[in-house]
Amino acid sequence: MSRLGQEAILAGLARRLDEQGSWSGETHIQKSTYLMHELLGVPFDFDFILYKHGPFSFELRDELGSMQADRLLERQPQPPPYGPRFLVTARGRELEQRLTQTMSRYGPALDWIARRIGKRGVVELERLATALWVTRQQPDAGVSARVQGLTDIKPHVSGEDAMSAIEEIDRLLVEADEVAAAA
Amino acid sequence: MAQRTHEVRDPLHVFVRYDEDEKRVIESEPFQRLRYVHQLALSFLVYPGATHRRFEHSLGVTELAGRIYDVVTRDDGKMSSTARALTPKPGDREHAYWRATLRMAALCHDMGHLPFSHAAEERLLPNGWDHERITWQIVHHPLMGAVWSSMRPKPEPDDVGKLALGPRKVEKLKLGLSFEPWEAILAEIIVGDVFGADRIDYLLRDSLHTGVAYGRFDHHRLIDTLRILPRPPQERGESANEEDNEGELTLGCERGGLESAEALLLARYFMFAQVYYHPTRLIYDKHLVDFLTAWLPEGRFSTEIDGHLQHSDNDVMTAIIASAADADAPGHDPARRIVRREHFRVVYQRRPEDTGGATKGIARAAAKEFGEELVRYGASPRRGEPPDFPVRDRDGRSVSSLSSSDVLGKLPASRDEYVFVDEPERKKAKQWIEKEREGILEALTATEDEQEEVNP
């Protein structure tokens, strides 16, 4: 995907997350992008690594910085102790409007991810994205093996929460196939 | 038995001390080669004092990494329970292993640099190769294997390599390795975006040698206030209790160190524009790459470690001077531009209203008008957004640095971009760009949209 197209999709994502009432911080953008890439096959040009808070892309972090420099996104500091939020600017909206075909192609994926992810808390998002990471690493493993895999990576996650995250990922995989097929 | 300690004088840290094991690394061929690789490439042609080398920088990073490790692993009584559980205790074997491995990684972190450091990396190595990948190969090479094997405990090359490169590069190089939380914190001590010893040393050292005072900040205060802290809550409604946040830890600072951290990030901002991506340095890099492309066999540096170790700034500079004097020598034209200061001049600098790609588009259009050989485009990398790190507030809470600092959120993230033209064409090119700029940018936007819609 071209850089311009990628930026338009990220601007569209930040806008939709905000419209859904999401906090829309970096964790939301990172995990939503990872889930869109893995679940819906949106061809982002980012590599993800398993890092402190689950799957994470330094390339995506750089891209968000670049989009701020180009005034497509703004990072809005929040009162202590909270982290900042990402908001799309008027210039970012213009970019979305300019790339009509791209945005109509990926619009359903963006709508779906914003609905499914927008209102989740960051701890829940990290669990969910890590559950997908484990599922991708062990595609043939059953639920209990993947629950074990998740708690091995994140020992602070309880077995119950890990089970819930793995089961939800299995449901989202089925749902995402339907979204991708309809697009 | 305690190892003998050696010491060497350093203009920044007064003394750098190292033990027998570290001396073996310092005396190894890959480390000694760093005596002949300038820290700032051809910047000495802009700042005459900038003749310092990667050798002393690597010693400085090792000194600082050790200091930071000692500060953050010391329990000051305020260490959180999750940090205490993660951090080896001073006196333990594990504490000693990771301290030694961290310092080894700091020594090794620049071993893969090509002659003139970053200047030539992008175009003169095969796809997928950069100096970090060569560093990884050197750390795993039999040459260093012999050094590691002589140590007790023997550092694992993978541990040394991971800490030397950090997760960002491990991701980029697709090494398929993940970072345990403790390893991620150790890598932050060397290559972290905010508090990395690499960054602290190069800003201060480069500032000292160039005479550009903007790079100075109070690193003593900063290091003394560094702590391993729980991630602050990211959003309203999220608990500030670290147990609820699943114990994610990262490097942060006490509230009393926030101003020092702000000063570091401001220093980085100023040094980027004033030194690292000074336009004259950028164009010298272009002439250097043009020379190396003509001079090197097949226009590329070797990725074989033996070949890599044979090249340093010394043999390249000798070749540049020889080529500048011989009109028939390969790379004569760019060599002449470097030696006689006949470098291209700036005719356009990115304007605040320019979108990404605009300056490059103007450079392409100018190259069509004036000839490919007479026009170059040069740019700093994207600066990236100011990092968000935890700050332990005076009430003990871990809070976001961006919510605590009025300065950090306002640091500009834009990149510097330039179009350069050969001196005799400068006036004409400037006038031409001024006249054609609007039309070039309009055509560029239309083409980008079209390409995007056809090939998303």
Side-chain angles (χ1 to χ4, degrees):
Chain A
M1 187 187 298
S2 77
R3 187 162 162 222
L4 203 64
Q6 204 158 254
E7 289 180 341
I9 294 174
L10 290 171
L13 174 64
R15 180 173 62 76
R16 284 170 173 82
L17 286 172
D18 186 40
E19 285 168 0
Q20 287 287 329
S22 166
W23 184 263
S24 194
E26 186 182 4
T27 304
H28 281 89
I29 306 269
Q30 283 273 352
K31 303 315 175 204
S32 302
T33 305
Y34 174 68
L35 293 172
M36 277 199 292
H37 183 260
E38 289 294 323
L39 292 173
L40 298 162
V42 178
F44 289 113
D45 194 18
F46 304 124
D47 285 323
F48 285 83
I49 185 175
L50 191 60
Y51 195 44
K52 288 180 196 166
H53 314 309
F56 182 88
S57 171
F58 286 95
E59 290 167 344
L60 173 54
R61 169 173 279 184
D62 289 345
E63 181 61 58
L64 294 174
S66 176
M67 288 178 71
Q68 286 175 82
D70 287 341
R71 291 180 285 146
L72 299 169
L73 288 179
E74 66 174 335
R75 195 166 60 163
Q76 191 180 69
Q78 300 297 308
Y82 305 109
R85 303 180 64 203
F86 278 98
L87 298 173
V88 67
T89 62
R91 198 168 177 170
R93 286 169 197 263
E94 274 172 29
L95 179 64
E96 276 190 81
Q97 284 159 10
R98 256 171 57 197
L99 301 188
T100 48
Q101 286 185 35
T102 302
M103 295 316 291
S104 67
R105 177 170 295 135
Y106 297 111
L110 287 164
D111 291 337
W112 182 78
I113 206 78
R115 274 200 313 275
R116 287 283 173 268
I117 297 303
K119 290 195 173 165
R120 308 288 183 110
V122 290
V123 174
E124 195 183 356
L125 275 183
E126 287 161 13
R127 273 203 301 266
L128 204 56
T130 310
L132 178 55
W133 176 276
V134 171
T135 300
R136 290 299 191 218
Q137 297 296 309
Q138 308 173 43
D140 300 325
V143 171
S144 58
R146 286 180 289 144
V147 167
Q148 185 63 49
L150 177 51
T151 52
D152 286 347
I153 292 172
K154 294 178 85 71
H156 295 279
V157 177
S158 70
E160 193 183 334
D161 285 344
M163 173 71 82
S164 166
I166 293 286
E167 287 176 347
E168 179 162 10
I169 278 299
D170 286 347
R171 284 196 299 276
L172 288 176
L173 277 163
V174 174
E175 210 179 307
D177 281 347
E178 290 164 10
V179 174
Chain B
M1 195 172 77
Q3 294 192 41
R4 185 180 160 201
T5 300
H6 303 268
E7 59 189 17
V8 62
R9 286 192 187 272
D10 179 77
L12 192 61
H13 307 303
V14 187
F15 281 104
V16 171
R17 295 183 169 83
Y18 50 92
D19 65 22
E20 280 289 309
D21 284 345
E22 290 160 353
K23 184 165 179 266
R24 286 186 197 106
V25 176
I26 291 166
E27 289 181 348
S28 69
E29 190 181 347
F31 196 88
Q32 287 294 314
R33 174 182 165 273
L34 298 178
R35 287 184 188 274
Y36 313 110
V37 179
H38 285 93
Q39 178 74 17
L40 291 178
L42 288 171
S43 293
F44 60 81
L45 295 174
V46 182
Y47 297 98
T51 54
H52 52 302
R53 314 299 171 107
R54 297 255 158 207
F55 183 87
E56 54 264 37
H57 163 66
S58 298
L59 290 174
V61 175
T62 305
E63 171 68 23
L64 290 178
R67 283 191 213 170
I68 296 171
Y69 183 86
D70 292 342
V71 168
V72 301
T73 57
R74 189 187 309 137
D75 190 347
D76 61 354
K78 294 188 226 162
M79 197 182 244
S80 71
S81 56
T82 44
R84 196 172 289 125
L86 184 76
T87 310
K89 289 175 186 51
D92 287 357
R93 186 174 294 184
E94 198 190 352
H95 183 276
Y97 172 79
W98 283 114
R99 189 180 192 281
T101 303
L102 178 80
R103 284 175 54 98
M104 294 297 172
L107 282 173
C108 295
H109 83 284
D110 270 353
M111 281 180 172
H113 267 295
L114 296 176
F116 294 104
S117 302
H118 300 278
E121 197 168 289
E122 206 170 300
R123 273 184 45 196
L124 299 174
L125 284 173
N127 277 345
W129 282 85
D130 58 16
H131 78 268
E132 282 98 349
R133 185 158 175 187
I134 297 174
T135 297
W136 179 267
Q137 301 287 344
I138 292 173
V139 166
H140 290 79
H141 191 271
L143 200 63
M144 292 309 295
V147 177
W148 308 135
S149 296
S150 68
M151 299 176 184
R152 293 289 176 276
K154 173 179 172 271
E156 288 300 325
D158 273 2
D159 289 342
V160 175
K162 278 167 75 175
L163 302 192
L165 267 59
R168 181 189 289 265
K169 282 295 169 182
V170 165
E171 168 194 303
K172 191 177 164 203
L173 298 179
K174 302 184 196 308
L175 294 173
L177 298 165
S178 58
F179 279 71
E180 297 291 327
W182 175 239
E183 293 170 335
I185 287 170
L186 292 174
E188 273 182 70
I189 290 177
I190 299 179
V191 294
D193 280 343
V194 194
F195 306 116
D198 182 28
R199 175 170 292 181
I200 294 174
D201 188 87
Y202 76 62
L203 286 172
L204 294 169
R205 194 174 297 278
D206 298 343
S207 169
L208 176 73
H209 286 277
T210 56
V212 176
Y214 304 126
R216 292 183 198 153
F217 54 94
D218 185 357
H219 71 293
H220 298 287
R221 176 65 176 158
L222 179 66
I223 290 174
D224 279 351
T225 59
L226 294 183
R227 299 289 182 270
I228 297 170
L229 296 175
R231 183 194 63 188
Q234 296 295 294
E235 60 183 49
R236 207 162 275 127
E238 189 186 345
S239 169
N241 181 345
E242 63 178 289
E243 301 295 345
D244 295 339
N245 290 336
E246 301 182 349
E248 301 287 4
L249 296 161
T250 190
L251 218 53
C253 68
E254 294 273 2
R255 177 62 189 79
L258 183 58
E259 285 76 12
S260 312
E262 288 173 340
L264 181 154
L265 290 164
L266 281 167
R268 177 174 178 262
Y269 172 74
F270 291 130
M271 289 291 281
F272 251 68
Q274 285 281 318
V275 178
Y276 305 131
Y277 299 100
H278 185 288
T280 308
R281 154 72 195 271
L282 282 176
I283 191 60
Y284 273 128
D285 284 357
K286 298 287 172 191
H287 294 319
L288 176 67
V289 170
D290 288 344
F291 169 77
L292 288 166
T293 306
W295 177 71
L296 286 167
E298 296 174 29
R300 291 277 173 92
F301 277 113
S302 170
T303 55
E304 296 296 323
I305 299 308
D306 292 343
H308 169 78
L309 295 176
Q310 283 168 18
H311 282 304
S312 71
D313 292 10
N314 286 12
D315 60 297
V316 173
M317 201 66 225
T318 302
I320 288 173
I321 291 167
S323 290
D326 178 359
D328 296 326
H332 166 72
D333 184 65
R336 168 184 66 82
R337 293 186 184 283
I338 293 168
V339 172
R340 298 184 197 157
R341 300 189 61 79
E342 292 171 358
H343 57 81
F344 289 5
R345 263 54 182 188
V346 175
V347 290
Y348 185 79
Q349 177 171 5
R350 179 187 173 163
R351 297 179 186 175
E353 66 270 26
D354 288 352
T355 53
T359 311
K360 204 173 205 172
I362 289 170
R364 280 199 203 108
K368 269 189 191 165
E369 179 71 18
F370 296 95
E372 298 283 340
E373 290 310 305
L374 301 182
V375 179
R376 292 287 180 277
Y377 162 81
S380 68
R382 304 177 210 169
R383 281 198 181 92
E385 56 191 356
D388 189 16
F389 54 87
V391 176
R392 185 157 73 193
D393 216 341
R394 294 199 166 89
D395 61 8
R397 288 184 311 166
S398 190
V399 303
S400 157
S401 59
L402 292 171
S403 72
S404 310
S405 166
D406 289 333
V407 173
L408 295 180
K410 295 186 173 67
L411 281 175
S414 60
R415 66 195 309 214
D416 301 316
E417 295 178 87
Y418 303 92
V419 180
F420 301 90
V421 170
D422 194 13
E423 168 66 33
E425 302 289 340
R426 173 158 55 166
K427 194 173 169 193
K428 204 168 135 197
K430 262 188 167 176
Q431 287 168 348
W432 182 84
I433 289 172
E434 198 52 49
K435 189 169 155 231
E436 302 294 332
R437 179 177 173 275
E438 289 299 319
I440 294 168
L441 296 185
E442 272 172 32
L444 189 68
T445 306
T447 310
E448 276 183 339
D449 286 357
E450 194 182 326
Q451 284 174 347
E452 170 55 29
E453 300 295 38
V454 175
N455 298 307

